[in-house]
């Protein structure tokens, strides 16, 4: 605290003064003057320390309220100063790459929405859904897209024909295949002229579609559909996903201790 530091500075002033004088006089080897300065500094220190001790005892004995007031004032000053000196937490910075992805997602959303809308109008009934009448019927108002792993997953919804039915994983996989096949057919028929390319080929010779249905999730009253435009990041995501699926199949095919050869 500044007050204690200031008080300590006054009390130790004679010692500081002697030390500075000693530095100046040690080269002259003037022992007498050094002894005099030492006695003066020690006496000054003793007088100041004694006076301070007497003052504290006097205040405690006769004016304890002064000690309390001084303590409170010092504590408040230290508290406010600590709050003011505390560095403000920096807001998390958004990377330039993420900002660019956000901008691309906003611009490309109308195109993806039209693709999904036209596709669902053709085959919604084939996956247990109600054919949408307008674009707003398929919009997810909370979030049009989700960015993860530098990939933009566009989100849409489709109302279910029977909300009491809960579809199994195998059925959902079949629904994805139906939508994917319909999208590919429409792209080949040039139904979406805003798409620059129909297929993409990577450096390994793998062929990728321009648009993918990545996820369909049964949300009780409707389906949540996530779709993706092709990108190198999504190609790597698919490759990793297939590797995980193959590893899980391999593990599931390993016989356990109860398995017997017949």
């Amino acid at each position: 605290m500044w007050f204690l530091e200031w008080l300590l500075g006054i009390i130790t002033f004679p010692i500081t003064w002697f030390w500075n004088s000693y530095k100046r006089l040690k080269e002259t080897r003037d022992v007498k003057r050094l002894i005099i300065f030492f006695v003066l500094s020690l006496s000054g220190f003793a007088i100041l320390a004694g006076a301070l001790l007497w003052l504290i005892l006097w205040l405690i004995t006769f004016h304890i309220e002064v000690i309390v007031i001084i303590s409170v004032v010092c504590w408040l000053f230290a508290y406010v100063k600590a709050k003011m000196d505390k560095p403000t937490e920096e807001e998390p910075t958004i990377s330039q790459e993420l900002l660019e992805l956000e901008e691309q997602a906003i611009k490309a959303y109308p195109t993806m929405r039209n693709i999904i809308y036209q596709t669902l109008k053709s085959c919604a009934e084939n996956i247990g859904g109600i054919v949408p009448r307008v674009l707003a019927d398929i919009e997810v108002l909370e979030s049009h897209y989700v960015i993860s792993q530098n990939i933009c997953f566009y989100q849409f919804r489709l109302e279910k024909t029977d909300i009491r039915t809960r579809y199994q994983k195998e059925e959902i996989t079949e629904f994805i295949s139906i939508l994917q096949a319909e999208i590919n057919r429409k792209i080949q028929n040039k139904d979406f002229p805003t798409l620059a390319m129909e297929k993409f080929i990577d450096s390994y010779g793998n062929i990728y579609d321009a648009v993918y249905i990545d996820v369909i999730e049964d949300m009780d009253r409707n389906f949540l559909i996530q779709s993706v435009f092709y990108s190198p990041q999504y190609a790597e995501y698919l490759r990793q996903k297939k590797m995980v699926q193959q590893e899980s199949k391999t593990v599931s095919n390993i016989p356990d201790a109860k398995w017997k050869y017949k």
Side-chain angles (χ1 to χ4, degrees):
M1 295 172 59
W2 68 271
F3 180 74
L4 293 178
E5 292 177 355
W6 173 77
L7 200 58
L8 185 62
I10 293 177
I11 296 174
T12 58
F13 172 75
I15 298 177
T16 305
W17 172 78
F18 168 74
W19 181 250
N20 293 333
S21 300
Y22 171 76
K23 288 180 179 179
R24 294 196 306 268
L25 296 175
K26 66 177 181 179
E27 296 180 358
T28 61
R29 299 181 182 276
D30 193 341
V31 179
K32 291 183 179 180
R33 293 186 65 183
L34 286 174
I35 294 174
I36 294 172
F37 286 168
F38 176 74
V39 172
L40 291 175
S41 65
L42 189 61
S43 301
F45 174 76
I47 293 171
L48 290 174
L52 179 62
L53 180 61
W54 176 85
L55 178 61
I56 292 173
L57 292 175
W58 182 78
L59 289 174
I60 292 174
T61 304
F62 300 101
H63 298 283
I64 187 63
E65 68 278 3
V66 176
I67 298 293
V68 174
I69 293 173
I70 293 175
S71 300
V72 172
V73 170
C74 292
W75 179 82
L76 286 175
F77 178 84
Y79 177 79
V80 173
K81 188 174 186 299
K83 286 291 185 181
M84 295 178 62
D85 294 342
K86 184 179 180 180
T88 56
E89 296 182 0
E90 296 183 359
E91 296 183 358
T93 57
I94 302 176
S95 65
Q96 183 63 31
E97 186 176 10
L98 183 58
L99 290 174
E100 292 176 358
L101 281 173
E102 290 273 1
E103 184 177 353
Q104 293 173 9
I106 294 172
K107 291 181 178 179
Y109 176 76
T111 301
M112 181 63 84
R113 180 182 57 181
N114 181 57
I115 292 172
I116 300 301
Y117 174 69
Q118 297 297 336
T119 302
L120 292 176
K121 283 182 70 70
S122 301
C123 62
E125 294 177 341
N126 298 336
I127 64 172
I130 300 175
V131 177
R133 294 175 292 114
V134 292
L135 288 171
D137 289 344
I138 67 169
E139 290 186 343
V140 177
L141 300 180
E142 296 82 7
S143 177
H144 288 170
Y145 56 85
V146 174
I147 295 178
S148 176
Q149 303 181 53
N150 291 330
I151 304 168
C152 180
F153 297 87
Y154 296 90
Q155 301 193 128
F156 303 95
R157 65 185 178 90
L158 175 67
E159 291 187 18
K160 292 168 58 177
T161 304
D162 185 1
I163 62 175
R164 294 171 298 180
T165 303
R166 290 288 295 178
Y167 293 95
Q168 303 300 315
K169 181 179 179 181
E170 294 76 13
E171 295 173 302
I172 294 296
T173 302
E174 180 63 23
F175 293 167
I176 292 175
S177 299
I178 292 172
L179 288 186
Q180 188 67 59
E182 182 64 16
I183 288 176
N184 293 342
R185 186 188 68 81
K186 287 182 174 295
I187 291 176
Q188 291 174 3
N189 291 340
K190 309 294 183 182
D191 290 350
F192 310 119
T194 54
L195 286 179
M197 294 181 65
E198 299 177 2
K199 298 286 184 180
F200 294 87
I201 303 176
D202 65 10
S203 58
Y204 300 101
N206 299 314
I207 300 175
Y208 295 92
D209 297 320
V211 177
Y212 278 89
I213 300 297
D214 186 71
V215 170
I216 295 180
E217 187 175 350
D218 190 341
M219 306 294 290
D220 294 332
R221 301 188 65 87
N222 52 61
F223 294 112
L224 175 65
I225 302 171
Q226 287 190 337
S227 56
V228 183
F229 285 115
Y230 168 81
S231 67
Q233 293 81 5
Y234 186 68
E236 178 63 20
Y237 169 81
L238 287 179
R239 190 179 72 84
Q240 295 291 338
K241 190 176 180 179
K242 289 179 180 178
M243 289 177 59
V244 171
Q245 291 174 347
Q246 290 174 355
E247 290 176 1
S248 63
K249 288 181 180 180
T250 302
V251 172
S252 63
N253 290 332
I254 296 176
D256 57 17
K258 298 181 180 178
W259 181 84
K260 292 182 179 180
Y261 176 77
K262 295 182 180 180

